[in-house]
Amino acid sequence: MKLLCSSCFLIRGKFGVMRLSLLLILLLLAGKGAFSTSNYLIGLGSYDITGPAADVNMMGYADTAQIASGVHFRLRARTFIVAEPPGNRVAFVNLDACMASQLVTIKVLERLKARYGNLYTEKNVAISGIHTHAGPGGYLQYVVYIVTSLGFVRQSFDALVDGIEQSFILAHGNLRPGSIFVNKGEILDAGVNRSPSAYLNNPSEERSKYKFDVDKEMTLLKFVDAEWGPVGSFNWFATHGTSMSRTNPLISGDNKGAAARFMEDWHDGKDSGNIYSDESHTGSTERIPRRISNIIPEYNVKHRELLDLASSFQASSKREVTKFLSISSRVRSALRQSDKPKFVAAFCQSNCGDVSPNVLGAYCIDTGLPCDFNHSTCGGKNELCYGRGPGYPDEFESTRIIGERQFKKAADLFKTASEQIKGKIDFRHTYLDFSKLEITIPKEGGGSEVVKTCPAAMGFAFAAGTTDGPGAFDFKQGDDKGNPFWRLVRNLLKTPEKEQVDCQQPKPILLDTGEMKLPYDWAPAILPIQILRIGQFVILSVPSEFTTMAGRRLRDAVKTVLTSASSGEFNGGLHVVIAGLTNTYSQYVTTYEEYQVQRYEGASTLYGPHTHSAFIQEFKKLATALVHGQRVESGPQPPDLLDKQVGFLTPVVLDTPPLGSNFGDCSTDVPRNATFKRGDMVSIVFWSACPRNDLMTEGTFALVEMLLKKDSWEPVYDDDDFSLRFKWSRPAKLSTHSQATIEWRIPQKALPGVYRIRHFGASKGLFGSVHHFVGASSAFVVV
């Protein structure tokens, strides 16, 4: 038996358990009145999962032209662990990734078992994706999800597995006595229903119970360390990660990743240069921004003197032995952290299936008129219908605005959270074969009948895409017929059997993915479902994108089971959230009524019209087992297809700078005696090398430094900041030359002074050797 004490040493045996219990009691009694407030061990951790920033197709839009070529801001895995001393524990990982992957989950759990034994397993660990459509793809194991990435991309996969493991190590190492508080509130302007015609097919009496056709409620957990105070928060809110469009080539956490960055900087007193001044938190609504306020005085120096100082620092480049300089220079470098745990803020996904962040609505790009209501087309063409975000036509601004709206609500909920989470920790998990589940449903006219799910299949409307990212050719949403030409094309891959056609009705099958097995499985059949309980807070881990109404029905069904069978245990209130895209990915889940309309979400509901009923039936079984303390069978194991993966992404062969230049040299520098104002864009171009040579994990490709003294530079912005963008390009596809363009939009709250921009990279030599380099621009003045 292995248990973890708060100082993170493993103690074995009966006497170890006694010593552990005594130590925990002493800690609780000593911890600033913690005995009455600290009822759990809590630990949070965060780690870089950005992955390859070049050449790799992005996951989400399935657009072969959307190839990563730079960084908007970095992606992270954020983990919380909550344990009852010395009882059960649960762990939740939130990924700045499109979705969870069954293969990633399998390999992470293998590593956790090797490191911690049976402390963390598939039963009590949930791994969830925020659904950004701007992260590297190629990390899922089923064929249909890696076609556009040219198969499996090992570098994407490893970045996720390594990053999740490291975030776990940090969270586990941070386990200490603490408390959790919950709070809820509405965000009215961060999501709209992108398939309203399908939503309207739900019963009118059901729709009348709700004020909106999307869920507007955010639910937040606040984690408070008994000694250090607040150490993090996780919240769940439904809106798609599609503020960044399918033409965006920069890696980005989209609106939820942006919200997380804003909130972490806000809590640490590091304003991100554009949002949220909070007197109660900082003591002043006019504080000096960013991370430099405590280390330098304000600049009250004449402009001429600043120019003279800047002129003494010209552009330079040099070769580095390792990437250590990139890591140590990072603004949020762990090397400069105190003993206090790093604050972690996660913005988790929920039932976002039909929820778009493009809140201005969908319009035709040729006429400017609203798109057709039922089919989201313009003159019969889906390619012309696009949703508009609040910053239209600037997708970066839309991302910032939707992220800011989520951040501001989360900050308010965080500050006012007062309901403490109390009660036991528990969990239930099982695997189910969704290709052939039997479901008992009410029969029209009374009684019940048994129906079945089907092997996975995707309908014609799947290829039409959505208003967030329309498809191509002549596909359209709301198509329950199909057409002869595309049926012929489909049949070249796999002709569905009559039983499958009948089972999936009224979906016309475009891809019979559940019955396509070459070179290996095209779609999942075995899916995990899971419930995590922390006192009166319950997480439903679903492997799909549930639509608004599908999520409402599931939450209500589980809540009914828990409250009716708990003998008053939840009389003080029960909070149930859906964690979407968790542990694996199986596309969408609509209600039975929405499925009949066959918009994009219905066409992407893989297992037929009764998919949603199957989830409700099986989650009710889990909830019943949870509340009665009953054991649940583990079910059939999903396949591990790692050894079958194939990938066709070409490796980096060689990097060279142009004749007469070195890696890190500026090909475009700032002008001599350059002066910029806040709001200006500073753009520097360096001779560079492929970012796949070194992902700069927990480091940075780009850095803005400010001169503190005559020869001392302090990092103030890096490629994890919203104001700084790292863009990488080749002059031609097969060229060995490449350039890095670093753009800095000077924040309105940047201090006046002398600045420079640096670029970190790694080049590959002829025989595979990798050499690190760093370049710097000439210094310039900001006034």
Side-chain angles (χ1 to χ4, degrees):
M1 182 179 186
K2 295 183 180 181
L3 295 168
L4 183 78
C5 73
S6 61
S7 57
C8 306
F9 290 102
L10 293 174
I11 299 177
R12 305 172 188 273
K14 290 187 293 183
F15 296 105
V17 173
M18 292 172 62
R19 291 197 300 273
L20 171 62
S21 301
L22 179 61
L23 175 60
L24 289 172
I25 290 170
L26 291 173
L27 280 169
L28 290 170
L29 288 170
K32 297 182 181 180
F35 183 76
S36 61
T37 59
S38 301
N39 49 337
Y40 300 115
L41 297 179
I42 59 172
L44 288 83
S46 172
Y47 203 80
D48 190 347
I49 57 168
T50 302
D55 301 329
V56 176
N57 182 250
M58 289 182 169
M59 182 63 198
Y61 288 114
D63 188 334
T64 56
Q66 191 190 17
I67 303 297
S69 52
V71 177
H72 179 208
F73 58 90
R74 289 193 165 258
L75 310 180
R76 302 195 69 80
R78 296 173 170 91
T79 297
F80 78 70
I81 300 172
V82 181
E84 285 181 290
N88 286 337
R89 64 184 59 206
V90 294
F92 189 92
V93 185
N94 192 58
L95 302 178
D96 287 346
C98 194
M99 67 281 289
S101 155
Q102 184 65 73
L103 189 58
V104 168
T105 300
I106 288 171
K107 296 308 175 184
V108 166
L109 291 172
E110 287 179 359
R111 292 195 186 186
L112 295 179
K113 183 175 179 61
R115 185 177 292 274
Y116 301 112
N118 292 323
L119 209 56
Y120 304 107
T121 70
E122 63 195 14
K123 296 178 181 180
N124 65 344
V125 173
I127 302 175
S128 184
I130 64 170
H131 209 38
T132 174
H133 286 43
Y139 62 90
L140 287 89
Q141 70 172 351
Y142 297 105
V143 172
V144 75
Y145 306 129
I146 55 175
V147 169
T148 58
S149 62
L150 301 179
F152 189 68
V153 180
R154 186 69 196 226
Q155 208 170 28
S156 298
F157 173 80
D158 286 343
L160 281 166
V161 175
D162 293 345
I164 296 169
E165 181 188 24
Q166 291 301 317
S167 74
F168 241 100
I169 292 170
L170 291 168
H172 183 84
N174 287 333
L175 278 168
R176 299 161 52 86
S179 304
I180 309 171
F181 298 86
V182 63
N183 205 357
K184 293 181 176 182
E186 285 189 338
I187 311 175
L188 300 180
D189 52 1
V192 296
N193 198 304
R194 69 185 188 187
S195 290
S197 60
Y199 179 87
L200 289 173
N201 209 45
N202 291 306
S204 59
E205 61 271 19
E206 180 181 36
R207 288 186 280 112
S208 67
K209 295 190 299 182
Y210 303 98
K211 187 176 180 180
F212 304 105
D213 60 1
V214 297
D215 284 340
K216 302 287 188 178
E217 189 171 72
M218 172 183 281
T219 304
L220 177 139
L221 292 181
K222 176 179 181 177
F223 296 89
V224 181
D225 185 285
E227 178 181 358
W228 294 111
V231 290
S233 71
F234 277 58
N235 69 70
W236 288 261
F237 176 75
T239 194
H240 249 75
T242 49
S243 292
M244 301 296 287
S245 74
R246 67 179 185 178
T247 61
N248 161 59
L250 302 184
I251 289 176
S252 174
D254 208 277
N255 56 70
K256 285 187 176 291
R261 168 53 53 239
F262 297 159
M263 187 157 183
E264 288 173 348
D265 282 352
W266 165 76
H267 182 272
D268 293 338
K270 303 167 183 175
D271 184 272
S272 46
N274 54 355
I275 50 174
Y276 213 77
S277 182
D278 174 51
E279 186 172 2
S280 67
H281 186 78
T282 65
S284 171
T285 59
E286 299 297 329
R287 72 184 186 279
I288 295 174
R290 303 297 302 166
R291 311 144 192 103
I292 54 177
S293 57
N294 296 324
I295 54 177
I296 66 168
E298 284 199 64
Y299 269 80
N300 291 310
V301 186
K302 293 180 180 180
H303 182 214
R304 183 69 256 170
E305 293 172 339
L306 290 177
L307 285 175
D308 290 342
L309 193 57
S311 66
S312 62
F313 296 95
Q314 299 301 308
S316 64
S317 65
K318 63 179 179 178
R319 181 167 163 177
E320 292 293 328
V321 177
T322 70
K323 70 170 183 179
F324 179 78
L325 186 60
S326 165
I327 297 174
S328 62
S329 299
R330 192 165 176 267
V331 170
R332 301 168 186 83
S333 174
L335 299 175
R336 293 196 297 276
Q337 297 292 326
S338 66
D339 292 335
K340 181 179 179 178
K342 183 179 178 181
F343 186 85
V344 177
F347 286 70
C348 311
Q349 195 54 270
S350 192
N351 52 318
C352 68
D354 53 358
V355 188
S356 170
N358 297 311
V359 294
L360 299 186
Y363 293 87
C364 300
I365 59 175
D366 56 343
T367 66
L369 297 173
C371 305
D372 172 78
F373 182 78
N374 290 316
H375 303 289
S376 296
T377 54
C378 301
K381 295 183 178 181
N382 70 78
E383 303 99 309
L384 302 177
C385 177
Y386 279 87
R388 295 179 180 177
Y392 174 84
D394 186 340
E395 62 189 312
F396 294 95
E397 183 66 2
S398 291
T399 300
R400 183 193 67 79
I401 293 170
I402 297 298
E404 180 179 320
R405 289 171 181 174
Q406 291 176 78
F407 153 63
K408 284 187 173 182
K409 176 53 65 176
D412 288 339
L413 296 176
F414 183 83
K415 290 183 297 180
T416 59
S418 59
E419 180 186 339
Q420 186 171 352
I421 298 292
K422 297 179 180 179
K424 63 182 180 182
I425 292 173
D426 208 348
F427 46 83
R428 292 295 184 275
H429 174 285
T430 190
Y431 288 111
L432 299 162
D433 187 345
F434 265 77
S435 68
K436 53 183 180 182
L437 269 181
E438 291 189 347
I439 314 111
T440 302
I441 62 172
K443 193 173 183 179
E444 196 170 334
S448 62
E449 61 178 328
V450 176
V451 295
K452 294 180 69 174
T453 54
C454 329
M458 292 149 67
F460 274 66
F462 157 79
T466 73
T467 56
D468 291 335
F473 306 111
D474 54 350
F475 295 102
K476 64 180 181 180
Q477 296 195 69
D479 182 1
D480 59 0
K481 299 291 190 299
N483 70 60
F485 173 76
W486 289 111
R487 289 182 194 277
L488 179 63
V489 173
R490 171 202 68 188
N491 292 344
L492 294 175
L493 292 171
K494 171 73 171 67
T495 304
E497 302 292 339
K498 183 180 184 304
E499 182 181 1
Q500 171 75 326
V501 172
D502 292 342
C503 186
Q504 291 279 353
Q505 284 291 345
K507 178 197 295 176
I509 297 173
L510 178 63
L511 289 173
D512 191 16
T513 52
E515 299 183 314
M516 296 166 70
K517 305 294 182 182
L518 295 176
Y520 45 88
D521 292 355
W522 278 56
I526 297 170
L527 302 180
I529 63 170
Q530 180 186 52
I531 299 180
L532 304 180
R533 178 192 171 184
I534 309 169
Q536 71 269 32
F537 185 80
V538 173
I539 301 172
L540 310 182
S541 301
V542 301
S544 317
E545 301 174 59
F546 275 55
T547 61
T548 298
M549 193 64 84
R552 288 168 174 171
R553 291 184 190 176
L554 177 62
R555 282 197 305 264
D556 288 348
V558 170
K559 189 177 290 188
T560 297
V561 171
L562 293 178
T563 53
S564 62
S566 63
S567 302
E569 188 176 358
F570 299 115
N571 284 348
L574 175 64
H575 306 276
V576 179
V577 298
I578 289 175
L581 307 111
T582 300
N583 294 327
T584 189
Y585 183 62
S586 62
Q587 294 175 245
Y588 285 75
V589 176
T590 65
T591 66
Y592 177 86
E593 294 83 359
E594 291 166 346
Y595 185 91
Q596 308 306 307
V597 179
Q598 280 299 295
R599 284 185 63 97
Y600 173 82
E601 295 82 11
S604 304
T605 296
L606 295 184
Y607 307 102
H610 303 294
T611 301
H612 182 239
S613 296
F615 273 105
I616 288 180
Q617 172 181 280
E618 299 304 320
F619 264 103
K620 287 169 71 175
K621 292 179 183 177
L622 277 193
T624 300
L626 181 79
V627 79
H628 290 297
Q630 299 167 344
R631 184 175 174 273
V632 175
E633 294 295 327
S634 60
Q637 291 296 303
D640 178 346
L641 301 176
L642 181 59
D643 292 340
K644 295 186 177 182
Q645 298 300 314
V646 292
F648 299 98
L649 179 67
T650 55
V652 180
V653 177
L654 178 67
D655 295 290
T656 63
L659 193 63
S661 298
N662 297 311
F663 291 113
D665 282 353
C666 287
S667 63
T668 302
D669 198 4
V670 292
R672 185 175 178 82
N673 293 328
T675 299
F676 298 92
K677 302 186 298 295
R678 295 159 186 165
D680 287 349
M681 176 75 80
V682 182
S683 182
I684 311 291
V685 183
F686 297 89
W687 288 112
S688 189
C690 184
R692 285 196 283 152
N693 295 326
D694 190 323
L695 306 183
M696 299 296 168
T697 301
E698 286 295 335
T700 184
F701 290 109
L703 187 70
V704 176
E705 293 181 317
M706 186 177 185
L707 188 65
L708 301 187
K709 300 175 183 177
K710 287 192 175 181
D711 58 356
S712 177
W713 294 93
E714 177 69 16
V716 287
Y717 298 92
D718 60 24
D719 68 8
D720 205 12
D721 278 285
F722 217 80
S723 63
L724 191 65
R725 298 175 194 168
F726 164 67
K727 299 179 176 180
W728 181 82
S729 63
R730 288 189 183 99
K733 188 171 185 179
L734 299 179
S735 175
T736 59
H737 304 332
S738 64
Q739 292 180 309
T741 301
I742 298 175
E743 296 177 347
W744 181 40
R745 177 72 68 183
I746 303 174
Q748 291 299 322
K749 294 185 179 180
L751 290 174
V754 176
Y755 292 83
R756 71 178 180 183
I757 291 176
R758 301 179 83 190
H759 167 47
F760 301 91
S763 63
K764 179 168 282 191
L766 188 60
F767 299 104
S769 58
V770 173
H771 304 284
H772 290 84
F773 62 87
V774 58
S777 73
S778 297
F780 53 91
V781 173
V782 173
V783 295

